[in-house]
Amino acid sequence: MLISLQIENFALIDRLELDFSAGLNVLTGETGAGKSIILDALDAALGGKVGSRSIRTGADRASIEATFKLAPDLRLWLESEEIDLLDEEAIVCSRELTAGKSVRSRSRVNGVLVNKQQMDALYEKLVEITAQGQTVQLGQPGLQRSWLDGFGGADLIAQREKVATAFASAQQALQALEKRRQFEQQRLQQLDLFEYQAKELSEADLSDPDELTNLEQERQRLSHSVELQQQSYEVFQALYQNDSGKAASDLLGQAENVLTDMLRFDEQVQPILDMVSSALADIQEASREISAYGDGLETDPERLQEVEARIVQLKQIIRKYGPTLADAIAFNEKVQRELAELSGTGQSIEVLEEQYDKRQAELVAQCAKLTKLRREAARSLEALLIRELKPLAMEKVQFEVQIDPIAPAAHGADRITFVFSPNPGEPLQPLNAIASGGEMSRFLLALKACLSQVDAIGTMVFDEIDVGVSGRVAQAIAEKLYQLSLSHQVLCVTHQPIVAAMADSHFHVDKQVIDQPRNGSQANGSKADDVRTVVRVRQLDESDRREELAQIAGGRSAQEAIAFAESLLTQAANARLTTAPAANTVGQSASQSAPPAATKKTKARSKK
């Protein structure tokens, strides 16, 4: 239950403190008076969306503080988030906004900084705000599914979580299967490439990294065999034998004979004789070698073709797998290793398909259980919602929750559609295709009444839920809001005097123009800068309420309007007596969550 709301420099509010009571709290005032700003401030305090206009013009910061009665589930939440208690009976949510290029904000719970996720989780436990625009969202399948699941209770929510877990597991198995299929396709493509490379390298029969060099030398020799034969014969003649008698061996032989004669007279020439004799022996051996070399040279065109073909093959291999023949040989060894690895099967696609099928079957089974629970909840919601709608001047209304199968997803395998017929003889159709604005408002109010019976939330906020209705329908909405207020605190912005008359606490909201210099206005002397518009809120006593109801009903405080206002208050008092017993039959979960009566006199204060 919302105990108090403190607002500073938010939109048109300079400073405002409001205390709320249990039961039905209504805010009235002229259109544009700022009633919705107060609800926006409450939303902002709980982490709702804010913008540059949220901070009052001329201010560099704004703050909102909402204090709620501490319920057992809130105490458990504080313990789970390791946030200390400031008060044994209250929890304080605050938000500070700072102006800049973009609005920066900080949220705190009991003075402790919290993040957006924490604030959103707490918001769901504290307040439910139903705004005018939500009637447009009534036709959204996702929202209708969420409402049905919430109505279904803890068992249905738990089953939906099982479905979400099963869906995640099935998706994980599917991703593994698709990844393995993709890998298998890549593996086969890579395997084809390696097999081709291995075949090409195997046919090349690579073993010697110097083979290309040796072959190129052999090609040179084979290409110049005739020339080499001629040159080898010329060398032989120069070394050993020619017609002129001036071969190297002849000259060395002559030198050896002379040195031998000299040795008889002087032994010092012995080393010279030894060198000449050794040189003569080397020349003779070289002569024999060059003669054998020349004799061994043959012209072999076939061998030359073989060598040239092999050189071309090796150079092609080098261009693809090189840059050297040694690199190509190393690449061949790598390809053989890769082939061995890729030929291994690993975890087969068949095994992964079995795992996916198993998990998908589990998902389908869990979805079937969820569908069953949703059908049970749908039948209960249909009966209860029709019962709630009948007092709202919709006695002949028809309503069904259609559940159609769809592909399994994280939220189940159901498409939820609320179909509705407000008039006898008309077919059931989706809400947004048939219902008028007033019918949508009543439908939403009745739906919230149904959901409130299974929802432990303490405060329900309605922003002009009664727009577009009048007369008997307005009276029915007023009684429904009061009925809700017996088990929940209700805050309601309204323009209906019948609704306002049912209030436990009545607040009047209006705009006032005050003298308040802006920054620098005194320096420039502009009188226009001294005028500011502010929102003021005043809690009404019984006398003030008559005046306010007269204003709403007749637009002026004439005697007739005052009399009409008094009749509204009398009518509201009688309606309270008849509504309260009916509310006690709504459901135990609703009655158990009824907020306690206020422990102090409720008041509202506006500070200048």
Side-chain angles (χ1 to χ4, degrees):
M1 184 185 88
L2 178 63
I3 299 174
S4 65
L5 184 64
Q6 299 181 17
I7 309 169
E8 183 176 353
N9 291 331
F10 183 84
L12 292 178
I13 298 175
D14 54 351
R15 190 168 298 174
L16 185 65
E17 295 183 13
L18 294 172
D19 291 337
F20 296 96
S21 69
L24 179 58
N25 299 259
V26 299
L27 291 86
T28 60
E30 295 294 334
T31 300
K35 301 181 293 298
S36 294
I37 294 178
I38 297 171
L39 303 188
D40 291 342
L42 175 60
D43 178 66
L46 299 175
K49 186 177 181 180
V50 295
S52 57
R53 295 184 178 181
S54 299
I55 300 178
R56 180 171 166 79
T57 302
D60 55 7
R61 59 179 295 277
S63 63
I64 314 102
E65 181 178 286
T67 303
F68 293 86
K69 186 174 180 61
L70 186 62
D73 62 326
L74 297 177
R75 188 184 296 271
L76 292 175
W77 185 86
L78 290 174
E79 291 177 358
S80 67
E81 299 298 327
E82 298 181 351
I83 298 176
D84 295 334
L85 294 175
L86 291 180
D87 189 306
E88 286 295 331
E89 296 185 357
I91 178 174
V92 179
C93 303
S94 60
R95 182 98 173 266
E96 182 176 306
L97 311 179
T98 305
K101 291 183 178 180
S102 60
V103 174
R104 293 174 296 167
S105 70
R106 289 183 177 182
S107 293
R108 288 181 170 84
V109 176
N110 284 355
V112 178
L113 281 173
V114 294
N115 57 36
K116 184 69 164 59
Q117 291 74 20
Q118 290 173 300
M119 205 68 243
D120 287 346
L122 183 58
Y123 196 148
E124 294 179 357
K125 297 177 180 295
L126 291 172
V127 172
E128 180 178 355
I129 297 179
T130 303
Q132 300 177 54
Q134 198 169 357
T135 57
V136 179
Q137 302 171 353
L138 273 173
Q140 297 179 0
L143 190 57
Q144 293 177 356
R145 181 180 61 246
S146 177
W147 281 332
L148 177 63
D149 290 350
F151 182 79
D155 290 343
L156 194 152
I157 297 299
Q159 183 59 34
R160 190 175 66 182
E161 291 175 355
K162 291 180 181 179
V163 167
T165 301
F167 178 76
S169 179
Q171 287 296 107
Q172 184 180 10
L174 178 60
Q175 290 172 2
L177 175 59
E178 291 178 344
K179 184 177 180 181
R180 183 66 178 85
R181 284 172 175 167
Q182 184 179 14
F183 170 77
E184 181 65 13
Q185 183 179 15
Q186 294 174 348
R187 185 186 75 87
L188 293 175
Q189 293 172 352
Q190 195 69 36
L191 192 59
D192 287 342
L193 175 62
F194 284 157
E195 286 177 345
Y196 170 80
Q197 292 173 337
K199 180 181 179 182
E200 186 177 32
L201 291 168
S202 177
E203 291 174 350
D205 191 22
L206 304 177
S207 59
D208 183 4
D210 297 325
E211 182 182 5
L212 181 60
T213 301
N214 296 335
L215 287 172
E216 288 177 335
Q217 292 175 355
E218 184 179 0
R219 180 177 63 177
Q220 290 292 331
R221 185 172 65 254
L222 291 171
S223 301
H224 301 84
S225 59
V226 175
E227 185 178 351
L228 288 172
Q229 283 179 337
Q230 180 64 35
Q231 290 173 339
S232 65
Y233 180 69
E234 291 175 1
V235 172
F236 178 76
Q237 286 183 322
L239 291 176
Y240 193 73
Q241 183 180 7
N242 58 48
D243 295 338
S244 66
K246 292 182 180 181
S249 60
D250 293 336
L251 295 174
L252 286 172
Q254 294 174 8
E256 183 181 35
N257 291 334
V258 173
L259 286 169
T260 300
D261 288 341
M262 293 173 65
L263 183 62
R264 290 183 299 156
F265 306 107
D266 188 355
E267 292 183 354
Q268 291 185 12
V269 300
Q270 182 64 53
I272 300 172
L273 176 59
D274 292 340
M275 287 189 289
V276 171
S277 297
S278 176
L280 179 58
D282 289 341
I283 289 297
Q284 290 172 341
E285 179 63 27
S287 299
R288 287 191 292 272
E289 290 287 338
I290 195 63
S291 178
Y293 171 78
D295 293 341
L297 286 173
E298 295 181 2
T299 302
D300 190 349
E302 292 182 1
R303 175 57 183 165
L304 179 59
Q305 289 180 355
E306 291 177 1
V307 169
E308 288 180 339
R310 179 63 172 170
I311 288 173
V312 170
Q313 182 185 25
L314 291 179
K315 285 188 175 180
Q316 289 177 342
I317 292 294
I318 287 173
R319 280 196 297 270
K320 295 176 71 174
Y321 308 111
T324 66
L325 192 57
D327 293 327
I329 293 172
F331 185 81
N332 184 28
E333 295 172 353
K334 177 185 176 183
V335 166
Q336 297 300 328
R337 292 193 301 270
E338 294 285 353
L339 275 174
E341 292 179 5
L342 288 173
S343 298
T345 57
Q347 192 173 21
S348 69
I349 291 179
E350 290 75 14
V351 171
L352 291 173
E353 285 177 338
E354 290 177 2
Q355 291 179 354
Y356 170 67
D357 290 342
K358 181 179 179 180
R359 294 184 185 182
Q360 187 69 11
E362 174 63 18
L363 172 61
V364 170
Q366 294 296 344
C367 285
K369 293 180 181 178
L370 179 59
T371 300
K372 181 180 178 182
L373 291 174
R374 280 175 171 163
R375 291 191 183 280
E376 294 173 356
R379 301 294 81 81
S380 299
L381 179 60
E382 288 168 353
L384 184 57
L385 187 58
I386 289 174
R387 189 161 67 244
E388 293 288 341
L389 283 169
K390 285 184 177 180
L392 298 175
M394 301 180 79
E395 296 85 355
K396 304 296 183 180
V397 66
Q398 300 178 67
F399 169 72
E400 286 185 9
V401 179
Q402 290 184 351
I403 302 179
D404 299 310
I406 58 173
H411 53 71
D414 308 310
R415 180 173 60 248
I416 309 299
T417 307
F418 288 1
V419 291
F420 173 78
S421 174
N423 303 307
E426 295 298 321
L428 291 165
Q429 295 187 39
L431 279 171
N432 54 354
I434 187 171
S436 65
E439 289 168 342
M440 292 285 267
S441 296
R442 282 178 281 170
F443 183 92
L444 184 58
L445 178 59
L447 179 63
K448 295 295 183 179
C450 294
L451 298 178
S452 70
Q453 300 183 32
V454 294
D455 193 351
I457 200 163
T459 300
M460 303 181 70
V461 179
F462 294 94
D463 186 5
E464 298 190 16
I465 191 68
D466 51 12
V467 66
V469 300
S470 60
R472 185 167 65 94
V473 176
Q475 179 64 46
I477 289 177
E479 293 174 1
K480 183 61 64 179
L481 288 171
Y482 178 72
Q483 179 181 324
L484 280 174
S485 73
L486 297 176
S487 55
H488 297 72
Q489 182 190 42
V490 176
L491 273 63
C492 179
V493 172
T494 183
H495 288 286
Q496 291 288 346
I498 297 176
V499 174
M502 293 290 289
D504 294 297
S505 297
H506 189 163
F507 300 87
H508 173 71
V509 183
D510 67 346
K511 290 179 182 176
Q512 297 180 12
V513 178
I514 63 173
D515 292 334
Q516 186 181 73
R518 302 192 188 197
N519 293 337
S521 65
Q522 292 178 346
N524 58 38
S526 174
K527 292 184 178 180
D529 285 337
D530 294 342
V531 176
R532 299 300 305 275
T533 300
V534 295
V535 173
R536 292 287 183 253
V537 181
R538 179 170 58 94
Q539 186 175 359
L540 306 179
D541 57 21
E542 286 301 314
S543 175
D544 293 333
R545 288 190 72 191
R546 291 186 179 87
E547 291 285 338
E548 178 68 7
L549 293 175
Q551 288 283 344
I552 299 173
R556 66 185 190 279
S557 297
Q559 189 61 37
E560 295 84 358
I562 291 292
F564 178 67
E566 291 177 347
S567 69
L568 285 179
L569 291 173
T570 302
Q571 180 181 345
N574 294 331
R576 286 168 175 270
L577 295 176
T578 57
T579 301
N584 293 332
T585 64
V586 170
Q588 291 183 356
S589 61
S591 61
Q592 290 171 355
S593 62
T599 56
K600 60 180 180 178
K601 185 177 180 180
T602 306
K603 56 184 178 179
R605 300 182 298 276
S606 299
K607 295 184 178 179
K608 295 184 180 179

